[in-house]
Structures are given as C-alpha cells and as structure tokens.
Amino acid sequence: MSGADGGPGAGARGPLAILCGGGAFPLEVAAEARRAGREPFLVGVVGATDSAIEAYPHVWVRMGEVGKLFAALKGRAIAEMVIIGAMARPEFSDLRLDWGAVKRAAGLAQLFRRGDNGLLAGLAAIIEREGVSVVGAHEIAPRLLAPTGPIGARAASPEDEGDIALGARLLAALSAFDAGQGAVVALGRVLAIEAAEGTDVMLARLAEMRANGRLRFTGPAGVFIKAPKRGQDLRLDMPAIGPMTIEAAAKAQLRGVAVAPGLVLILERERCAREADAAGLFVAGFAHARSVG
Amino acid sequence: MSGADGGPGAGARGPLAILCGGGAFPLEVAAEARRAGREPFLVGVVGATDSAIEAYPHVWVRMGEVGKLFAALKGRAIAEMVIIGAMARPEFSDLRLDWGAVKRAAGLAQLFRRGDNGLLAGLAAIIEREGVSVVGAHEIAPRLLAPTGPIGARAASPEDEGDIALGARLLAALSAFDAGQGAVVALGRVLAIEAAEGTDVMLARLAEMRANGRLRFTGPAGVFIKAPKRGQDLRLDMPAIGPMTIEAAAKAQLRGVAVAPGLVLILERERCAREADAAGLFVAGFAHARSVG
C-alpha cells in the first residue's frame, strides 16, 4: 500500500481488463486504473454486472462465453485482468458455452467439482493459460484498501480493542477450516460468526436479535471484525466493506467495524466515513500482523 | 452413562428438586428421577415453565423470589437440584426480589455483570451455599444422553463421517473462544456456525439459503454437528436436541445430525428417531474423545 500516486501495480503496463461482478466496485477499480495511467477495458457479465460499466470501453459476455472473452482481450493486446465484484456461483448447467469454452470444456467441468475457492483458482488458471495475468484489485487500486486506524471521526475504545483482538484471533483460528471472514464480538462474547450466509445476512441476524430481545444490551454493543482467511488468494477473493456494511452495522446497533488493514477493500470510503459518523460508529483498520500475501 | 437402571446419580438419595426452564425436558428428567426411585419436586418459573409440571409436586416462583425457592426446598429436606430447560437471560431489573433475595442481593447483582456461563455458575454457587448440591440432568437421567451410533434407521456415510470429523474439530477450535455449540458442514465446506442466535435460527438460515439459491445442492446436503464447548459445565448448560431440531434439520435439507455421545441430551428420543427416519435423516452420536466432565 502506498499513498496517493500509485502502489506496486499502478505503473503504466498497458491496458487492463476488469472482469466485473455486481456492485460499484468494478467502476471504482476502473477509475483508479485510469488515474494510474492504464486504460481499463471492462468485461460485463450479462445478468450480474451493472450497466454503468458502459461509461468505459467494454464488452458484454454471457457466463460461459469464454471464447468471446478471450477474443476481446486478444484484439486489444490485454495482458492483465482484475476480477472484481459480487458474483453468484453458477451451476455448470447454467453456462452458455461457446466454441472457445467447448475447447476448454474438460477443464471447466472439473472446476465445478471444487469449492468456491477452487472454482475461482481454476478460472484464474484458465485465464493465465491464455497469456493473461490475473492481478488483484489491491495491486491496481491500493487506495481502495483499508488503512490502519479510523477512516471517520470515531475511534475504537480500549474495550473495543479487546473485542477486535478476540475477533481477529477467532478468525485466524477459523482459517484452518477455510471458514470465517467475519465475526461480531461484544465485551468478550462472540455474538455471531459468518459462514456461507455472508456478511449482510449475519448483520441482519444481529439486528433481529437486538429487536426481539434475544440480545439485551443498553445502547450500541459489539464490533464487526472482518479479515481475509489465511492463505486466501486476494487476487480472486478480496474481502470488502462498503456503505451497505455501514448501514447494516448501524441497524445491528454495533459500536463499530474493524477490518484488517491492507487486506480489505473499502468501497466508497468517503461515504462510508460520513455515514459511520452520522450513525455514531467507528470504522477502522486494526493493528494486524500481515499473514497473507 | 449406564444402561437401563440407573447411572451414577440414580441411586435413592432423597427427594430431588428440578428448577424447570421451558420445554418438555424438565418433565422427562422428572420421569427419569421417579423411575430411579427419587421423588421429584418441580420448581416452575412464572413466565418460563410449562404448566404441565403441575402433574408433579411443585412450587411456582417468580424470577427473583430466591427466598421462596429456598424455603420450599428446606421444608422438604431437599439436598440436590437439577437446573434444566430453556431460560431467557433476565435483566437484573426484571427480577422480583423477595426478602430472601435481598439478603443475597450483593451476590446477585454481581452475577449480572458476567456472561451467561458466569451467571449460571454464580447462581449454582448461591444455591450450593444454601446446602443444596447442583447436579446435572445427565447424572440423574443418563438414559436421556446421546448414545454412540445412530438412534434411527439411517447411519452416516463415509463422506458424512468426514464432515462430522471436520465439524467436531471446528467446534473444538471454537471452544477457546467460549463459542460454538453447533456447525453445519457439507462435503468439507463449513456452511454455518452457531453463536448467540442458537441452533434453531442457524438451521432456519440454512433452509433459507437452500430456498433462495444461495446454497445450491442437488438433494440433501450437510450435517449438523453439535457438541458442548470444552470446559462447559454440563450441570448447568447441557447441549440438547429434540424433535424441533429434527424438523429444522429436515427443512434445511440436511443429511443428518451428529452429536457428541454422552455429552448431548436427546429429548423424546423415540420420536426423534421416528421423525428422522420419515425425513430420511440420520441422527447419531459420533466417535468422540471425552474432553469435558
């Protein structure tokens, strides 16, 4: 992570493809790439990607149109690609395979016997076999990474710091099970642990437990802690928070959100800071030994 | 755990008080106590306990009527008590303190600054200071404990066994954080981890993820694994499953339920077995090194 004008991957290295999932992250990465002097070429996935990508040079593909994807990249001499944004795991039978996909079909079918991480890693391997390097959004757009310390006006209290440390240790312990990117801890008590449901569903559950009296606190309680799993390939699956996270944390009546600095993306940071301030939450990168890379 | 006619706590040792939370467990424990030759005396908590306890000698107390509770016990020369059944954690301000409670008020108020485990442990200590031993339901009613192996017609497959072993290791790792009595694992993937929301909410979440397509499996998938935390005081907080668990597991389209044998209570075992068979689920105690006592 460097400061304003470019980190490790931000040099001028030719055009950059961005394979875009849902949400606004792909556009932020595109803006950062252009800012660093690289021309972004956005690949939209029909049914997943926001049409706002059309503000940039782009192509639309259906899931499974692998041949069309590679043809578009090669026509533009693109040698690097970022994969970013929310994407539902497809079933193999959902894919619209084109001829370029059929040529690679044996490899594709195998992927679908793996878990999510294996599927993404296999997809990256297929892309790299075509001569296109898969790089992480954090390499292209280091300014989107969480800093150490607060991004808004509030900071964690000493009690919050204790909860953050406990949550970080909990997530580290869960890494061995390829589980757990998030947890909520209040005064030493583990209130929720994220698994396949995702962050939003976990935070909604806390809001419900506060509302129905299953959790009884006076005032805000608990910190949401988020960090990548140890060994997680950040090129393919980078944890992220954004305004929706802040809103969900506020509804759950949390005290704040703490993320691993340099290892979690923050979407729309200024808006997050503003909305966190308005809700009385802290949002901060916590002190954290970097154990993944 | 012994067989039919009495384990360690089942000798005739005078009348036994049962402090009854919600649900049918207190009645099963009362029946087992009577079967072992001990006269049960049930203490119902207004607003929490089912009125079916009135089939036995009983007294009703409000939360906080500590003096009334001890007077009832002493009038009957009761020297042992079981605490069993679901009970929502009260706020100190909800208590209806009587004179017997006020005499012990300093100790009571302190309890409410502790976590759930601390609160129960403190309650047990107060009871024991009055000369009444707190014993576990598993000591009084060992027939209610999960056996090793299946209780119904189906058994775990080798793949299920792999998921059970992973889940058991996961729960053991979470014990260090005083969290995690349950998890769901499918083919090596951790789908859900239980924290403050409890088993029912966790299983309902899985049913929802199956229904909304966030989890995409063909047919039943995943095993619910349940075990006490290491160091958990089984006298006060014994994990339990029952027909509601089986129903929730079936709705979540799981393959089965695996619990730590000798360490988890099974409510209405015959009904559980019958309903699991009907739903195509296995319910079994898994091979497990006993690490708590």
Side-chain angles (χ1 to χ4, degrees):
Chain A
M1 281 153 305
S2 66
D5 278 298
R13 291 185 298 181
L16 174 77
I18 303 174
L19 179 55
C20 305
F25 252 136
L27 294 166
E28 288 204 57
V29 173
E32 285 294 309
R34 186 170 271 178
R35 213 179 143 279
R38 303 191 64 176
E39 189 51 29
F41 176 67
L42 277 58
V43 180
V45 178
V46 175
T49 309
D50 196 291
S51 65
I53 64 159
E54 299 190 348
Y56 290 91
H58 68 278
V59 65
W60 286 99
V61 299
R62 288 171 192 278
M63 280 199 201
E65 288 184 331
V66 176
K68 184 175 178 186
L69 167 63
F70 287 130
L73 300 186
K74 281 174 186 160
R76 286 168 183 79
I78 287 171
E80 283 192 338
M81 175 187 268
V82 167
I83 304 174
I84 186 79
M87 192 100 63
R89 180 193 171 99
E91 293 294 310
F92 187 70
S93 57
D94 295 339
L95 302 185
R96 298 269 298 240
L97 300 180
D98 63 10
W99 177 238
V102 169
K103 285 195 293 182
R104 300 165 182 94
L108 284 172
Q110 265 191 338
L111 294 187
F112 280 81
R113 291 191 208 104
R114 307 191 193 183
D116 286 2
N117 284 354
L119 189 132
L120 276 165
L123 178 64
I126 287 178
I127 291 168
E128 299 208 317
R129 268 204 294 280
E130 304 291 321
V132 176
S133 300
V134 175
V135 297
H138 56 302
E139 299 173 70
I140 300 300
R143 298 201 321 155
L144 303 184
L145 294 172
T148 299
I151 67 164
R154 286 179 185 255
S157 72
E159 281 186 328
D160 296 328
E161 297 287 0
D163 288 337
I164 293 166
L166 179 65
R169 285 199 307 275
L170 173 72
L171 296 182
L174 286 170
S175 276
F177 302 94
D178 195 17
Q181 286 197 347
V184 176
V185 179
L187 300 175
R189 184 175 165 212
V190 179
L191 300 184
I193 303 172
E194 178 184 337
E197 75 273 24
T199 295
D200 296 340
V201 172
M202 181 188 67
L203 292 179
R205 171 161 91 242
L206 281 163
E208 200 177 312
M209 286 194 279
R210 287 298 297 265
N212 68 18
R214 184 164 185 118
L215 288 179
R216 296 172 74 169
F217 293 103
T218 306
V223 180
F224 170 45
I225 299 108
K226 192 173 184 91
K229 293 174 272 196
R230 208 172 284 158
Q232 184 167 335
D233 188 339
L234 298 180
R235 295 178 314 153
L236 304 176
D237 182 18
M238 186 104 188
I241 63 168
M244 275 181 61
T245 318
I246 307 306
E247 187 185 341
K251 280 190 185 155
Q253 300 180 57
L254 300 187
R255 294 180 46 79
V257 175
V259 301
L263 302 172
V264 175
L265 292 165
I266 304 185
L267 177 70
E268 298 183 68
R269 184 190 295 198
E270 282 70 31
R271 190 174 149 206
C272 283
R274 203 167 55 239
E275 295 185 359
D277 288 350
L281 293 165
F282 71 85
V283 178
F286 55 82
H288 179 76
R290 291 188 69 150
S291 56
V292 286
Chain B
M1 279 153 309
S2 67
D5 277 302
R13 292 185 295 181
L16 175 77
I18 303 175
L19 179 55
C20 304
F25 253 136
L27 295 166
E28 288 204 55
V29 174
E32 285 294 310
R34 187 170 272 178
R35 216 178 141 278
R38 303 190 64 176
E39 189 51 29
F41 176 67
L42 278 57
V43 180
V45 178
V46 175
T49 309
D50 195 291
S51 63
I53 64 159
E54 297 190 349
Y56 291 90
H58 68 277
V59 65
W60 286 100
V61 300
R62 289 170 192 278
M63 280 200 202
E65 289 185 331
V66 177
K68 184 175 179 187
L69 167 63
F70 287 130
L73 301 185
K74 280 172 188 165
R76 286 168 182 82
I78 287 172
E80 282 192 338
M81 175 186 269
V82 168
I83 304 174
I84 186 79
M87 191 99 63
R89 180 193 171 97
E91 293 293 311
F92 187 70
S93 58
D94 295 339
L95 301 185
R96 297 271 297 241
L97 301 180
D98 64 9
W99 178 238
V102 169
K103 284 195 292 180
R104 300 165 182 94
L108 284 173
Q110 266 192 338
L111 294 186
F112 279 81
R113 294 192 204 104
R114 307 190 193 183
D116 286 2
N117 285 355
L119 188 133
L120 276 164
L123 178 65
I126 286 178
I127 292 169
E128 299 207 318
R129 268 204 295 279
E130 303 291 322
V132 176
S133 300
V134 175
V135 297
H138 57 302
E139 299 172 70
I140 300 300
R143 297 201 321 154
L144 302 184
L145 294 172
T148 300
I151 67 164
R154 286 179 186 254
S157 71
E159 280 186 330
D160 296 329
E161 297 287 0
D163 286 338
I164 293 166
L166 179 66
R169 285 200 308 276
L170 173 73
L171 296 181
L174 285 170
S175 278
F177 302 93
D178 194 18
Q181 286 197 348
V184 176
V185 179
L187 300 175
R189 185 174 165 213
V190 180
L191 300 185
I193 303 172
E194 178 184 337
E197 75 273 23
T199 295
D200 296 340
V201 171
M202 181 187 67
L203 292 178
R205 170 160 92 242
L206 282 162
E208 202 178 312
M209 285 193 279
R210 288 299 296 264
N212 68 18
R214 184 164 185 119
L215 288 179
R216 297 173 73 168
F217 294 102
T218 306
V223 180
F224 170 45
I225 300 109
K226 193 174 183 92
K229 292 174 272 195
R230 207 172 285 156
Q232 184 166 333
D233 188 340
L234 298 179
R235 295 179 313 154
L236 304 177
D237 182 18
M238 185 104 188
I241 64 169
M244 274 180 61
T245 319
I246 308 306
E247 188 185 340
K251 280 189 184 157
Q253 300 180 57
L254 300 187
R255 293 180 47 80
V257 176
V259 302
L263 302 173
V264 175
L265 292 166
I266 304 185
L267 177 69
E268 298 183 70
R269 184 189 296 200
E270 283 71 29
R271 191 175 148 206
C272 283
R274 202 166 58 238
E275 296 186 359
D277 288 351
L281 292 166
F282 71 84
V283 177
F286 56 81
H288 179 76
R290 289 188 69 149
S291 56
V292 285

